Amino acid sequence: MQKMDKIFETLDELYPNPECALKFETPYQLLVAVVLSAQCTDARVNQVTKELFLLAPTPEKMLELGEENLKKIIHPCGFFNNKAKSIISLSKDLIERFNGEVPRDLE
């Protein structure tokens, strides 16, 4: 545990007020942005999500948007086919299992 404590202490010293570079307003939007960030820059994700979150800020709206329209919007992020499937799937899961909300814990 001492090594891990030292790592966290060092990180706290180097980065006393860390901020997320991704732009989001809700936990759901952060989750979508993180999916899009794989193999993509945060700047590009922020450009794409600016448009995306106007059209689909919630899991329900994302499902209404649909996978094909989602692919067109997120294309600049790369790997858009897999990312669109993942976003649609996680949106369905959130609606069906968690009343449309991102759970606050792993359970």
Side-chain angles (χ1 to χ4, degrees):
M1 209 46 133
Q2 289 178 333
K3 186 175 185 177
M4 185 173 70
D5 290 339
K6 180 64 177 163
I7 290 170
F8 282 124
E9 185 179 303
T10 302
L11 287 171
D12 282 340
E13 289 171 11
L14 292 172
Y15 306 101
N17 297 308
E19 293 184 21
C20 181
L22 298 171
K23 303 226 186 301
F24 64 95
E25 293 181 5
T26 66
Y28 173 72
Q29 290 178 0
L30 175 59
L31 181 57
V32 170
V34 169
V35 170
L36 293 175
S37 70
Q39 300 295 311
C40 188
T41 66
D42 291 344
R44 177 61 54 109
V45 171
N46 288 336
Q47 289 173 345
V48 168
T49 56
K50 185 175 182 178
E51 175 187 356
L52 178 61
F53 294 156
L54 286 174
L55 298 171
T58 66
E60 295 83 4
K61 293 290 185 184
M62 192 67 71
L63 294 182
E64 288 176 22
L65 181 64
E67 189 172 325
E68 291 307 312
N69 288 325
L70 177 57
K71 286 179 185 180
K72 292 174 190 170
I73 295 168
I74 68 171
H75 187 273
C77 289
F79 302 100
F80 59 93
N81 287 314
N82 288 334
K83 290 178 183 182
K85 286 179 187 169
S86 294
I87 292 168
I88 293 297
S89 177
L90 73 85
S91 297
K92 285 179 185 175
D93 282 349
L94 288 174
I95 292 167
E96 292 171 3
R97 298 175 58 202
F98 302 104
N99 199 32
E101 298 293 323
V102 176
R104 297 189 62 78
D105 57 44
L106 291 176
E107 287 114 32

